[in-house]
């Protein structure tokens, strides 16, 4: 069986300030004890990347970006390249989060180009996808997510790491979560699609679950087949909750 170390990543979205340094320090301390068991990262807003990058240097807690531009550099006002994320010490960049797809009109083709840029910079893209409530109600979940995976995921070279995050749009920030059967079904389908696309290497790709992951539901969600970690929004802002989720993800 392929071993996949769990990854628990915190997506801070547009939250946090320089005062969050205290929370980051508490997360670093907690992550140290979990170093061998689970990989952890936070994705703070870009303006905090410098501060976070310094605090996180050498820590068991990695740094991630929330988005990037597909180009390396140039006249793209307000944008940040994957190379810039690498420069501040990031290991991951989220691409295709539903809030970017919805509020910024990002298509799967654009997400694919961004994911390729993240690989070009030597980082791991966390490629987000998931169905809307109307797609779920129409029984289209599995076809929607397979299609998003196919279009949004570049074929990486042998050594590169990609990560998929399955996040049902209706579960994000709502306190709602799919049933464990629904999670297992979606992750199983994504695993099949990854193996179709990447051959045996598809077994090594981590598939995170995201959408209202909290300390009290993390253990069951994370023990569902093919769930290789969590992408955590609201509950990643407080060290106590985020660390509780990371511990629960490995049965502690
Ligand atoms: P949530 O967000 O945990 O607050 O639901 C998850 C996400 O958007 O990545």
């Amino acid at each position: 069986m392929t071993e996949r170390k769990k990854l628990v990543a915190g997506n801070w979205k547009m939250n946090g300030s320089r005062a969050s340094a205290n929370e980051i320090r508490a997360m670093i301390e907690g992550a140290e004890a979990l170093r061998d068991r689970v990989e952890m990262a936070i994705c703070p807003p870009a303006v905090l990347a410098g501060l976070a990058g310094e605090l996180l240097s050498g820590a068991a807690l990695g740094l991630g970006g929330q988005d990037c531009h597909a180009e390396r550099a140039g006249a793209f006002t307000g944008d940040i390249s994957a190379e810039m994320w690498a420069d501040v010490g990031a290991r991951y960049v989220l691409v295709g989060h539903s809030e970017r797809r919805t509020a910024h009109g990002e298509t799967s083709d654009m997400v694919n180009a961004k994911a390729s840029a993240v690989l070009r910079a030597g980082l791991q893209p966390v490629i987000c996808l998931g169905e809307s409530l109307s797609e779920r109600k129409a029984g289209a979940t599995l076809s929607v997510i397979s299609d998003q995976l196919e279009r949004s995921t570049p074929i990486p070279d042998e050594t590169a790491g990609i990560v998929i995050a399955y996040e049902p749009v209706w579960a994000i920030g709502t306190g709602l979560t799919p049933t464990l059967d629904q999670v297992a079904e979606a992750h199983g389908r994504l695993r099949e699609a990854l193996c179709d696309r990447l051959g045996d290497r598809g077994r090594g790709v981590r598939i995170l679950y995201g959408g209202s992951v909290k300390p009290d539901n993390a253990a069951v969600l994370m023990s569902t087949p093919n769930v290789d970690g969590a992408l955590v929004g609201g509950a990643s802002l407080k060290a106590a909750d985020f660390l509780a989720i990371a511990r629960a993800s490995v049965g502690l």
Side-chain angles (χ1 to χ4, degrees):
M1 235 184 83
T2 314
E3 278 289 325
R4 295 183 297 265
K5 191 175 187 183
K6 287 219 168 29
L7 169 62
V8 174
N11 172 10
W12 283 19
K13 310 191 180 185
M14 199 170 71
N15 295 293
S17 66
R18 294 180 63 81
S20 310
N22 288 336
E23 220 59 46
I24 296 176
R25 283 193 194 94
M27 288 180 186
I28 291 171
E29 206 180 309
E32 193 51 45
L34 297 169
R35 190 185 268 277
D36 297 334
R37 305 288 298 270
V38 51
E39 212 171 295
M40 293 178 68
I42 51 167
C43 307
V47 289
L48 297 179
L51 171 80
E54 276 168 30
L55 289 170
L56 294 172
S57 164
L61 182 66
L63 176 67
Q66 296 180 10
D67 177 47
C68 70
H69 196 279
E71 298 296 330
R72 282 172 204 273
F76 303 103
T77 303
D79 282 312
I80 295 164
S81 70
E83 281 74 7
M84 290 172 173
W85 281 115
D87 186 48
V88 291
R91 289 183 216 157
Y92 317 86
V93 182
L94 309 181
V95 292
H97 189 280
S98 79
E99 287 149 19
R100 305 273 335 158
R101 290 181 188 258
T102 309
H104 297 265
E106 291 189 10
T107 63
S108 288
D109 287 344
M110 291 160 75
V111 175
N112 192 313
K114 290 181 178 207
S116 300
V118 177
L119 291 168
R120 180 189 68 212
L123 308 182
Q124 296 188 45
V126 179
I127 302 166
C128 306
L129 46 85
E131 82 286 1
S132 66
L133 187 56
S134 57
E135 289 162 342
R136 164 71 61 184
K137 283 187 173 155
T141 298
L142 298 182
S143 61
V144 166
I145 63 175
S146 312
D147 182 67
Q148 284 181 328
L149 182 98
E150 169 82 27
R151 290 170 191 271
S152 310
T153 310
I155 306 232
D157 72 24
E158 294 294 325
T159 54
I162 58 167
V163 179
I164 304 296
Y166 169 60
E167 300 200 294
V169 178
W170 51 274
I172 295 176
T174 58
L176 302 172
T177 49
T179 64
L180 298 181
D181 284 349
Q182 288 171 332
V183 174
E185 186 184 41
H187 281 240
R189 171 57 72 92
L190 293 170
R191 177 72 59 212
E192 273 169 33
L194 282 166
C195 291
D196 284 349
R197 214 164 151 65
L198 305 176
D200 258 3
R201 279 198 294 148
R203 291 191 199 295
V205 174
R206 290 178 290 195
I207 308 174
L208 314 185
Y209 168 79
S212 297
V213 178
K214 307 285 176 208
D216 61 359
N217 63 15
V220 280
L221 284 166
M222 296 301 112
S223 55
T224 304
N226 282 306
V227 175
D228 308 310
L231 183 55
V232 186
S236 71
L237 295 168
K238 289 271 164 255
D241 287 349
F242 189 52
L243 290 167
I245 291 170
R247 281 192 285 269
S249 78
V250 287
L252 296 174

